[in-house]
Amino acid sequence: MDSIKIRLSSMMFLQFFIWGGWFVTLGTFLAQNLNADGPQTGMAFSTQSWGAIIAPFIIGLIADRYINAERLLGVLHLVGALLMYLMYQATDFTTFYPLVLGYMLAYMPTLALVNSVSFGQLKQPELEFGQIRVWGTVGWIAAGLVISYLFGWDAQSAIAAGMLKNTFLMCAVASFALGLYSFTLPATPPAGKGSELKLGQLLGLDALAMLKDRNFALFFLSSVLICIPLAFYYQNANPFLTAVGVENATGKMTLGQVSEVLFMLALPIFLNRFGIRVTLLLGMAAWVLRYVLFAYGDAGSGMWLLLVGIALHGICYDFFFVSGQIYTNSKAGSTYKSAAQGLITLATYGIGMLIGFSVAGQVTAAYTTAAGQDWQQIWLFPALFAGAVLVLFALIFKNETVAVTDEKSGKSV
């Protein structure tokens, strides 16, 4: 690996180390340290969606026209480091919420910026980017392992002592380091300087014409709806595992990211052998199975159910969301390619997850009593919801052929 790839890989590692270092344990932290209820926890997680909604404006208005991508990346991570440090000091939800909202408004645009910096420096980004992006997943895994097995902040006794707040201090340091490091990265000048600004292009609204296609319209609707059960995992998985007595839950949850890497490699095989319809259905079916396993698993003899549920993350995410990106790209063609991806991102991580986090918060509150949470009922709700989306999709969606690029040759297969 040459020096530029090493530098870009280091950037990706820190980018996702920061996110995985506090977001996974956020639900547990809010409940244990700040005594947050279900709706408040939903509000905190929804800041990710508000960040996803505002990100196109920051990228389109600033990074694409006025400031080098690596410089804006540095500024946003330095701002994020300060906000993260203030989150570390927060002692109640009222103080914490505006800080986490501000942080996610700064962080979510950096997801596109690290991609822009990478694409701007790679000679063959369509072939080389995967080698860079995988280090982001490694960073997320490393964060979970550090929390569980190096510091032990998610051990039952440590959680009771309020040690999870240290995740914010750790991520503040990492964010500060990435902020400074970003200014050393190769220059990535504004790509759209001097071009006409169109709101429809920023939000991907130019691709709305694609919804005239029944298959794509159903996929679009299903993508929004499946984000509701997805939100349950992000918001409730760590608090659930901790509540039922799973030690080092954060470290064990990294099994999901390991699975994600493995199934990413298998995705082209499934798409070519079974087609986009079956692949998407497998992704949705995995969500149903995962939540059923969570509903009936425990930290004793049912521990294997929980571990299998975590390991299903690769199929859940890759087979629906990644294959969905490939499908969207294939349907859009050259005319709407960028706009279509922007529209899907806005609809899923923006609108879909915003609704999902709110629903997850309300459902969790509904099944919470003085004795604790009724986790079986909490998990059966997203299982049934995902099952309904699965049936709807299976009945209406017709199979199509999509172009899948071989990672090694770069040719369509």
Side-chain angles (χ1 to χ4, degrees), residues 141-225:
I141 293 171
L145 296 178
V146 166
I147 291 169
S148 284
Y149 299 111
L150 181 60
F151 296 121
W153 291 332
D154 63 344
Q156 299 290 342
S157 58
I159 291 174
M163 299 299 286
L164 277 180
K165 74 172 187 175
N166 291 326
T167 59
F168 299 103
L169 181 60
M170 177 182 73
C171 292
V173 173
S175 187
F176 183 74
L178 181 52
L180 296 180
Y181 180 68
S182 297
F183 289 101
T184 72
L185 294 169
T188 307
K193 191 174 183 179
S195 61
E196 183 182 357
L197 176 66
K198 294 182 179 179
L199 180 61
Q201 289 179 341
L202 288 181
L203 297 177
L205 300 182
D206 292 353
L208 285 174
M210 295 173 61
L211 296 179
K212 295 177 182 178
D213 182 288
R214 189 182 74 165
N215 250 14
F216 185 78
L218 177 61
F219 164 73
F220 182 85
L221 176 62
S222 299
S223 296
V224 174
L225 293 177

Side-chain angles (χ1 to χ4, degrees), residues 213 215-216 275-277 327 330-331 397-402:
D213 182 288
N215 250 14
F216 185 78
I276 187 65
R277 180 176 182 272
Y327 173 65
S330 175
K331 293 288 287 185
F397 190 87
K398 305 300 181 184
N399 198 25
E400 295 185 52
T401 300
V402 300

Side-chain angles (χ1 to χ4, degrees), residues 22-50:
W22 70 278
F23 197 70
V24 174
T25 57
L26 177 61
T28 305
F29 166 81
L30 290 171
Q32 297 293 328
N33 289 54
L34 305 185
N35 296 314
D37 57 23
Q40 287 176 325
T41 301
M43 284 176 59
F45 275 92
S46 294
T47 59
Q48 173 189 273
S49 300
W50 290 118

